Amino acid sequence: MRVYRDDQKFLTFRINVMIWTMVAVFVFLAGSFWFVQGVQAEKFRNMSESNALREVVVPAKRGLIMDRNGRILADNQPAYALSLDRVVMRPLVKADPAHEGRLHQFLSQTLGVSMPEIQARFDKGKVIPRTHPLSMGEDLTIPQVASIEAEAVEFPELNVEPVQRRNYPYGTMAAHVMGYIGEATEKDLNRDKTLRGGDLLGKKGVELVYNEFLRGKDGADYWEYDSHGRRLAEITKARKEPVAGNNVYLTIDFELQRRAEQYFNENELVGAAVALDPRNGEVLAMISSPAFNPNVYSKRFTPETWKTIVSNPFKIELNRAIQGTYSPGSVFKTVMSMAGLVNHVIDVSSTVDCTGSGVFSGRRFRCWQKNGHGVVNVVTAIKESCDVFFYTVGSRLGVDKISEYAHKLGLGEISKIDLDGEKAGLVPSTQWAAERQHRKWYPSETISVSIGQGPLIVTPLQIANMMSSIANGGTVFRPHVVRQIDQIAADGSVTHLQVAPKILHQVELPAEAVAAVKKGLWKVVNEDGGTGGNARIAGLDICGKTGTVQVISYKGGFVKTEFMPFREKDHGWFASFATLQSPQMVVVVFSEHGGHGGVDGAPVAKLLYEAKYKMQLQTTNLNLNDPETLQKLKEGALPTPGQAPKRPPEATAPGLGH
């Protein structure tokens, strides 16, 4: 019989197997220790520090938004916000699974929101690191704060913190210019890794476009926690102070904005108004009516509130000044006059005999004046808005020349204003018809375009830009709503950054052509028979052009505007500038379904010109023989008659309806 224990060979094999097994185990353990302590050292160090030392973000104050004279339009107010510490909550839920349900119920009752909304806020936190607090509520009332603090023992994971809430003291005023702020979305968080859940940032208007300057830099407090998630003490040496955002000064003039908005509100008008400085492109006022209240957007609101906003038939979020596109109507005759004179298809002495209609391209086109205007030249054609005259100019020019000069004067182009969502509009041409419509452009279509109809759409801002370029002799500026940014350094010093005017391009307009067009525009407002008489101000030479855009064609006779349904009423335009000798402000008013432009638009312009030239109008009848008056004029205490008040130098850095 064979004895295996004496078999040295088998025994050696067993010993070797045991030795190599032990070696493999030790190699595996050594490799694991190396991987954890070497390769993943940083990961576990961060996890350890998150458990022992945690960062509590101290939000920076958002910069103020002010009008051109320093009146605050958007500021910050102290408020209370509620956050949830999920590190503290986790062991509580492990010890008692029903704890989370009680927490949801408590939050629903205290915050006054539904359970699904509470769950949605928890779900939103899944994309946020667990160590970061989860925002649960903003702008808490004192009773809500008291209720939460009273349950601090039951729900230690809830923290009430003092914060700054965005406040717009004048409500809807200049809302479309300033925009609003809102909580960062998942898309925002993925795009910008510096953002945290619950951070607020600009969503529209200046708040969005200049968010980088307004936002500021958050600070942080560092607190030591024990293994159970309880806060022990603050590490004051590690504290980082927040840096407030920069203050932004708009080009908007509060008084002009207030007057225009008040008129729109009191007369329940839907539409837009734009006031520009033709010398530099500054937007002095921009109105879109009806407007929204940005204070509503700066808070968390329910789906029902959002549904109410988006279902508003007047589209309150639409900035009609830069996003509303409409046919320009007879206001376009200003462009036609300039294009005809520059291209020499007419001159200042050219005349057309308007008998009430004319035949062009084999079709008869009627003038708005049934009996005609008689013999008219370019000046009287602008004043009386003679359709036949401009049919003639359009047939001589052709659509491509019309399109060329319309684009040169700012129509059909993005103006590059420093606001979001601007629309380009449309100026047709033969190329547009071929590429976009896949058809031939017919000459008879040019006749409609000649009086601002057909496939021609513009924004109120573009009309303002066009009037500015005519007022200043051919310079097309980039409009802008921000005038200055006060950049605050770490040491507290302030650098005033002025927004310099930017010329987009220069249009060569002969002085004789400009003078003729301006003369016609002056007659529209200041002579009997002109359609812009409601804008007339004694002692002030205002130039303007009215326009009416028919929405629905009525057959069988004239229908009075007051008897039409709102959606079927004509649109009204009034485009203007003042003064004839020294243009300092352009005002364009668009009344959606408001009827004739001279009825609703011209009075708005008159209000703004009265506010702008208040001092000049007061000094129209100055006694220049009075030595005291002469001394005040010399010192600049009174404006020189016919001129605007001097301002200190600034530093610069980088049927009817016609």
Side-chain angles (χ1 to χ4, degrees):
M1 178 181 285
R2 183 177 178 180
V3 181
Y4 286 94
R5 63 174 177 234
D6 294 332
D7 191 336
Q8 294 294 323
K9 198 171 183 180
F10 181 72
L11 184 61
T12 301
F13 172 75
R14 291 177 64 185
I15 292 172
N16 287 339
V17 169
M18 292 179 64
I19 291 174
W20 284 109
T21 300
M22 293 175 65
V23 168
V25 171
F26 278 112
V27 169
F28 174 77
L29 292 174
S32 298
F33 282 124
W34 172 81
F35 182 75
V36 171
Q37 296 184 2
V39 176
Q40 292 191 310
E42 189 65 25
K43 172 185 174 181
F44 288 104
R45 185 180 298 112
N46 290 338
M47 291 176 64
S48 175
E49 288 178 354
S50 295
N51 288 330
L53 188 66
R54 249 182 286 153
E55 179 184 87
V56 178
V57 176
V58 180
K61 288 185 179 180
R62 196 167 178 84
L64 304 177
I65 299 178
M66 293 172 274
D67 87 326
R68 65 190 296 112
N69 298 312
R71 188 188 290 258
I72 296 175
L73 302 177
D75 61 8
N76 306 290
Q77 287 187 343
Y80 291 99
L82 177 63
S83 64
L84 175 73
D85 194 326
R86 290 172 290 175
V87 175
V88 175
M89 186 182 77
R90 191 174 184 181
L92 297 174
V93 174
K94 277 189 174 182
D96 180 9
H99 178 84
E100 186 170 356
R102 293 196 302 273
L103 174 62
H104 284 213
Q105 187 68 35
F106 173 72
L107 290 173
S108 177
Q109 293 175 353
T110 304
L111 300 179
V113 297
S114 65
M115 290 289 283
E117 174 64 18
I118 294 296
Q119 185 59 52
R121 297 182 190 185
F122 273 85
D123 293 341
K124 194 173 182 179
K126 293 178 180 178
V127 298
I128 304 171
R130 186 175 293 275
T131 55
H132 291 174
L134 182 61
S135 175
M136 297 303 298
E138 311 88 21
D139 203 25
L140 302 180
T141 64
I142 297 301
Q144 286 175 326
V145 172
S147 178
I148 295 168
E149 294 295 345
E151 297 294 333
V153 175
E154 175 69 16
F155 303 111
E157 62 269 43
L158 297 178
N159 296 310
V160 175
E161 300 168 343
V163 295
Q164 294 291 320
R165 181 176 65 82
R166 198 60 159 170
N167 176 56
Y168 303 90
Y170 299 101
T172 60
M173 184 172 183
H176 291 91
V177 175
M178 293 190 294
Y180 56 86
I181 65 171
E183 189 175 341
T185 63
E186 185 175 345
K187 183 178 179 181
D188 295 323
L189 296 173
N190 293 332
R191 175 180 49 82
D192 187 349
K193 298 303 180 182
T194 66
L195 292 172
R196 296 178 173 87
D199 279 359
L200 299 174
L201 66 159
K203 295 291 185 178
K204 290 282 186 182
V206 170
E207 293 278 25
L208 169 63
V209 177
Y210 291 88
N211 183 70
E212 178 184 351
F213 296 96
L214 290 163
R215 182 180 166 194
K217 189 174 181 181
D218 292 342
D221 292 338
Y222 293 89
W223 289 83
E224 188 177 358
Y225 286 74
D226 64 14
S227 59
H228 298 288
R230 291 174 296 200
R231 184 184 288 187
L232 299 177
E234 182 186 0
I235 311 301
T236 55
K237 291 183 179 179
R239 180 187 299 168
K240 292 190 295 188
E241 295 297 331
V243 179
N246 302 318
N247 295 334
V248 171
Y249 289 80
L250 303 182
T251 58
I252 298 295
D253 184 299
F254 179 89
E255 185 62 20
L256 297 180
Q257 186 79 22
R258 182 193 67 79
R259 286 188 176 218
E261 289 198 16
Q262 184 177 0
Y263 187 92
F264 268 82
N265 292 335
E266 289 178 352
N267 292 276
E268 298 181 340
L269 297 181
V270 177
V274 178
L276 287 182
D277 189 331
R279 300 168 297 180
N280 51 31
E282 290 185 353
V283 179
L284 303 176
M286 180 178 284
I287 293 87
S288 179
S289 178
F292 60 87
N293 188 340
N295 288 306
V296 174
Y297 291 77
S298 63
K299 305 175 185 177
R300 195 195 301 263
F301 47 74
T302 64
E304 289 73 22
T305 304
W306 174 246
K307 186 177 180 180
T308 301
I309 292 171
V310 298
S311 63
N312 189 301
F314 294 109
K315 301 179 181 179
I316 60 174
E317 286 194 318
L318 179 73
N319 184 350
R320 286 172 164 80
I322 65 172
Q323 296 174 314
T325 52
Y326 315 93
S327 294
S330 292
V331 170
F332 192 69
K333 292 172 182 176
T334 310
V335 177
M336 293 296 300
S337 301
M338 193 61 69
L341 291 166
V342 171
N343 286 280
H344 306 295
V345 300
I346 57 170
D347 57 35
V348 293
S349 60
S350 299
T351 60
V352 171
D353 186 7
C354 173
T355 60
S357 67
V359 178
F360 302 90
S361 302
R363 286 180 55 192
R364 182 168 294 278
F365 290 84
R366 299 189 179 280
C367 184
W368 73 269
Q369 183 65 272
K370 184 177 180 180
N371 297 322
H373 294 92
V375 178
V376 294
N377 59 20
V378 66
V379 174
T380 52
I382 292 174
K383 174 193 171 184
E384 299 178 11
S385 201
C386 176
D387 289 338
V388 171
F389 181 90
F390 292 103
Y391 293 153
T392 304
V393 175
S395 66
R396 294 176 183 176
L397 280 172
V399 71
D400 288 332
K401 274 295 179 184
I402 295 173
S403 179
E404 177 188 345
Y405 270 83
H407 279 284
K408 284 183 177 181
L409 294 173
L411 305 185
E413 302 276 351
I414 294 289
S415 72
K416 301 180 181 180
I417 190 173
D418 48 346
L419 291 174
D420 59 301
E422 182 186 9
K423 296 291 181 66
L426 171 65
V427 178
S429 64
T430 54
Q431 182 180 357
W432 168 82
E435 293 180 354
R436 298 295 181 88
Q437 299 283 302
H438 307 291
R439 65 175 179 83
K440 178 184 176 181
W441 178 266
Y442 296 98
S444 60
E445 295 178 277
T446 304
I447 306 306
S448 295
V449 171
S450 300
I451 59 168
Q453 304 287 350
L456 171 66
I457 53 175
V458 298
T459 67
L461 177 63
Q462 289 174 345
I463 294 295
N465 241 9
M466 179 269 291
M467 292 298 286
S468 291
S469 60
I470 290 175
N472 63 34
T475 303
V476 181
F477 286 99
R478 174 193 176 188
H480 58 282
V481 298
V482 169
R483 190 185 195 203
Q484 175 181 303
I485 298 174
D486 282 358
Q487 199 167 54
I488 305 172
D491 61 0
S493 60
V494 179
T495 302
H496 304 290
L497 301 178
Q498 298 284 338
V499 177
K502 182 177 181 180
I503 298 174
L504 296 179
H505 58 266
Q506 197 81 33
V507 186
E508 292 186 11
L509 301 179
E512 186 181 20
V514 173
V517 173
K518 285 185 175 182
K519 185 177 180 181
L521 296 174
W522 181 89
K523 287 175 176 287
V524 169
V525 176
N526 297 282
E527 284 193 354
D528 292 339
T531 54
N534 283 336
R536 190 180 306 164
I537 300 174
L540 201 63
D541 287 327
I542 298 173
C543 303
K545 183 74 186 78
T546 60
T548 299
V549 181
Q550 194 175 43
V551 176
I552 290 182
S553 177
Y554 279 91
K555 295 182 179 180
F558 175 73
V559 179
K560 290 187 177 181
T561 300
E562 59 265 29
F563 299 126
M564 294 181 183
F566 174 77
R567 296 289 179 186
E568 297 180 9
K569 292 181 180 180
D570 298 339
H571 298 322
W573 286 95
F574 183 71
S576 61
F577 62 85
T579 62
L580 172 64
Q581 300 82 4
S582 176
Q584 296 167 29
M585 187 167 72
V586 167
V587 177
V588 170
V589 183
F590 175 77
S591 177
E592 191 171 314
H593 302 292
H596 187 261
V599 175
D600 285 323
V604 178
K606 182 177 181 178
L607 283 174
L608 300 190
Y609 288 125
E610 286 176 336
K612 170 71 174 177
Y613 292 95
K614 182 178 179 180
M615 287 292 291
Q616 178 178 331
L617 293 171
Q618 288 175 348
T619 59
T620 301
N621 298 317
L622 285 178
N623 181 7
L624 300 182
N625 294 320
D626 182 5
E628 185 177 345
T629 300
L630 292 174
Q631 183 60 32
K632 287 182 178 180
L633 289 171
K634 185 177 180 180
E635 295 172 354
L638 290 174
T640 303
Q643 297 183 10
K646 294 182 179 179
R647 61 183 181 186
E650 299 173 352
T652 57
L656 292 171
H658 297 273

